[in-house]
């Protein structure tokens, strides 16, 4: 006898989670209930794709239609406008966010 119990099924060894997962059910980054950084759809990623922002739960949410990139929901949280909208600075003194508008107000030029 070889010393191996033939009645026990052979199982694969334990494998580490994808590096973006904090816990996982297999080693793939799309099978993680908890992510190290953010979750974009079913995948754990380092950051959200362009056109998405991370909400308070680190889930990537789609930016408002006016935004190419954003830091939060709504057109007032755009960091870059899409090609069909004009950038209008918000009252945020850092000027990091912009409101994206279809037409500039009468007291602004193009």
């Amino acid at each position: 006898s070889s010393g191996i119990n033939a009645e026990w099924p052979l199982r694969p060894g334990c494998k580490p989670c994808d590096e973006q997962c904090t816990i996982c059910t297999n080693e793939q980054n799309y099978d993680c209930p908890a992510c190290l950084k953010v979750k974009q759809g079913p995948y754990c990623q380092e950051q959200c794709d362009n056109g998405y922002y991370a909400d308070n739960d680190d889930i990537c949410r789609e930016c408002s239609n006016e935004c190419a990139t954003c830091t939060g929901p709504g057109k007032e949280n755009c960091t870059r406008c899409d090609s069909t909208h004009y950038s209008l600075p918000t009252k945020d003194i850092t000027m990091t966010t912009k409101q994206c508008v279809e037409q500039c107000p009468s007291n602004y030029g193009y």
Side-chain angles (χ1 to χ4, degrees), residues 25-109:
T25 55
N26 69 36
E27 73 273 11
Q28 302 299 315
N29 73 343
Y30 59 82
D31 204 7
C32 305
C35 299
L36 187 61
K37 299 280 184 170
V38 298
K39 190 159 190 147
Q40 176 89 36
Y43 300 100
C44 289
Q45 299 182 173
E46 185 77 24
Q47 62 187 31
C48 296
D49 294 342
N50 277 344
Y52 292 82
Y53 67 94
D55 68 10
N56 292 335
D57 295 321
D58 295 325
I59 304 293
C60 295
R61 305 284 181 199
E62 195 166 7
C63 294
S64 178
N65 291 341
E66 300 88 356
C67 307
T69 59
C70 67
T71 58
K75 62 184 179 182
E76 66 280 355
N77 285 307
C78 298
T79 51
R80 203 173 81 228
C81 299
D82 75 0
S83 61
T84 63
H85 290 82
Y86 296 98
S87 171
L88 181 65
T90 62
K91 291 181 171 53
D92 174 14
I93 59 168
T94 64
M95 304 299 261
T96 55
T97 59
K98 302 164 179 49
Q99 185 170 349
C100 296
V101 295
E102 288 183 22
Q103 291 184 321
C104 292
S106 59
N107 59 336
Y108 283 82

